[in-house]
Amino acid sequence: MSGFSFLLPRDWEITAYDLDDAEREGRFSFATEKGPMGQFSWRKINASPDIERIIEEVHRRYLGEDTAPKIRFTRHANGRVYLAHTRQGERFYASVFNLSKMLLCEWIFDKYSKDMAELVVPMLDSFTDNAPDPATKRQFFALFGLEVSLPEGYHFVDLEAVPTSVTMNFENAKHYKISVHRFGLADVYMQGADTANFYHRCLYARRYAIRDIRKLPPVNGCETVEIDYRARGKFGFDFLLGPWWHGFASAFYKKSENRIYAFEHLGSQFSKEREKLKDIFQQKLTAKD
């Protein structure tokens, strides 16, 4: 899941997803108000694929072509992405292979037309590996409008998305965990409470032991809070027998969006990542209301 990125057309929405084992395989379905637009999927494979043969097989089986007509190929993203179509009104296909991760990424788009091709080509051209920035040693993640910059080494674990809120969970090789949240309709969630009280209730509901709550001076008008907490280790028998892990959390209320952005980091007491996480939402915090 952390191995690629691309830009969607502005009015496309994710209407379904499968991220149960996102490091190995997954799927997104997209639609607009006009109806379904396509599907994007990825999967780990054991050897470099023959993409043109796969495309021919897709047109013959998945797209329902008994006798496949002539397939027209074009290439995008500096030649990495194949785009293939047959004729007007038929579904069409695109594919790219990430050799370093042995990851095959595939798109199935709805009816082919000149207008549809002009819509999806910029998306294909934007396709790139989502590698950490070598200068900052940080990696950018964005999904469902939630954007975060994390220290290098964390990989995507799972996603929780409901109509008003989104949560993304990450983990590193030491099993330290980061959860990032966006709560919509914040005034409804808060029920008259301030950000500190609301977020304290959120962490307490997860059975975290709250150690300290600090209300910080507003940043660009955003009410901001930091919380220190403790929780049982979440790996193996640590949950039952291990020492309590140290947690650090922060949240801010962006009134212009009526949203609360928050994150928690849970790891060993010897973890030195707190300072690296201070600017996890830097772009949101510095954007003026």
Side-chain angles (χ1 to χ4, degrees):
M1 184 60 183
S2 59
F4 51 81
S5 68
F6 58 91
L7 301 176
L8 285 176
R10 183 177 296 275
D11 59 342
W12 286 31
E13 297 283 348
I14 298 173
T15 54
Y17 61 88
D18 180 0
L19 299 172
D20 289 344
D21 187 11
E23 287 299 312
R24 295 197 57 81
E25 61 181 358
R27 174 183 60 84
F28 289 114
S29 295
F30 304 105
T32 67
E33 292 181 350
K34 298 177 181 178
M37 302 302 289
Q39 176 178 292
F40 173 73
S41 62
W42 64 96
R43 54 192 168 97
K44 289 273 190 181
I45 57 178
N46 297 322
S48 297
D50 182 343
I51 290 182
E52 292 193 11
R53 185 192 64 79
I54 291 175
I55 289 174
E56 291 173 354
E57 189 69 10
V58 166
H59 277 274
R60 190 176 70 83
R61 292 188 179 184
Y62 189 88
L63 303 183
E65 296 284 357
D66 294 328
T67 303
K70 182 179 179 181
I71 299 173
R72 298 173 178 84
F73 291 95
T74 56
R75 301 184 72 169
H76 304 272
N78 295 320
R80 295 180 60 206
V81 180
Y82 283 81
L83 176 64
H85 70 277
T86 54
R87 55 185 174 231
Q88 291 282 115
E90 297 290 342
R91 292 182 179 180
F92 60 113
Y93 176 93
S95 180
V96 62
F97 177 61
N98 184 324
L99 180 61
S100 64
K101 295 181 179 292
M102 297 302 289
L103 201 66
L104 179 64
C105 301
E106 300 169 291
W107 289 266
I108 298 290
F109 296 112
D110 209 51
K111 301 175 182 179
Y112 179 80
S113 67
K114 182 179 178 181
D115 290 343
M116 186 66 173
E118 290 177 351
L119 188 65
V120 304
V121 163
M123 179 175 68
L124 301 179
D125 284 336
S126 73
F127 188 92
T128 184
D129 297 336
N130 185 31
D133 186 322
T136 63
K137 304 295 184 183
R138 299 179 75 92
Q139 190 163 8
F140 180 73
F141 295 87
L143 192 61
F144 284 104
L146 183 57
E147 304 173 359
V148 292
S149 173
L150 300 184
E152 185 178 13
Y154 280 86
H155 65 271
F156 176 87
V157 175
D158 59 33
L159 170 79
E160 304 163 29
V162 296
T164 59
S165 302
V166 179
T167 295
M168 287 195 289
N169 297 305
F170 303 86
E171 187 174 308
N172 69 6
K174 296 181 179 179
H175 304 288
Y176 296 174
K177 302 180 187 300
I178 294 177
S179 295
V180 293
H181 314 274
R182 187 195 70 196
F183 301 98
L185 298 177
D187 53 350
V188 176
Y189 273 106
M190 294 168 75
Q191 298 179 352
D194 60 12
T195 308
N197 184 282
F198 163 77
Y199 199 35
H200 172 270
R201 294 200 314 263
C202 289
L203 298 180
Y204 185 78
R206 296 176 204 152
R207 299 186 177 181
Y208 293 161
I210 309 300
R211 302 296 296 272
D212 187 34
I213 302 175
R214 298 178 297 279
K215 294 183 179 180
L216 305 182
V219 178
N220 281 341
C222 296
E223 191 176 277
T224 308
V225 60
E226 290 182 351
I227 298 178
D228 293 326
Y229 65 95
R230 300 290 184 270
R232 284 290 189 185
K234 303 295 183 180
F235 179 66
F237 282 101
D238 281 355
F239 183 75
L240 297 175
L241 305 174
W244 286 68
W245 284 16
H246 290 225
F248 169 71
S250 181
F252 69 93
Y253 179 22
K254 195 167 180 63
K255 292 185 178 180
S256 63
E257 299 179 7
N258 194 23
R259 289 171 174 163
I260 294 174
Y261 294 88
F263 76 88
E264 298 105 45
H265 175 267
L266 184 63
S268 161
Q269 61 179 317
F270 303 109
S271 172
K272 298 179 180 179
E273 292 190 339
R274 175 176 296 197
E275 290 305 316
K276 297 179 182 178
L277 298 172
K278 291 284 187 179
D279 61 350
I280 193 170
F281 286 123
Q282 187 64 33
Q283 185 175 354
K284 287 290 183 184
L285 276 169
T286 55
K288 295 185 180 297
D289 283 344

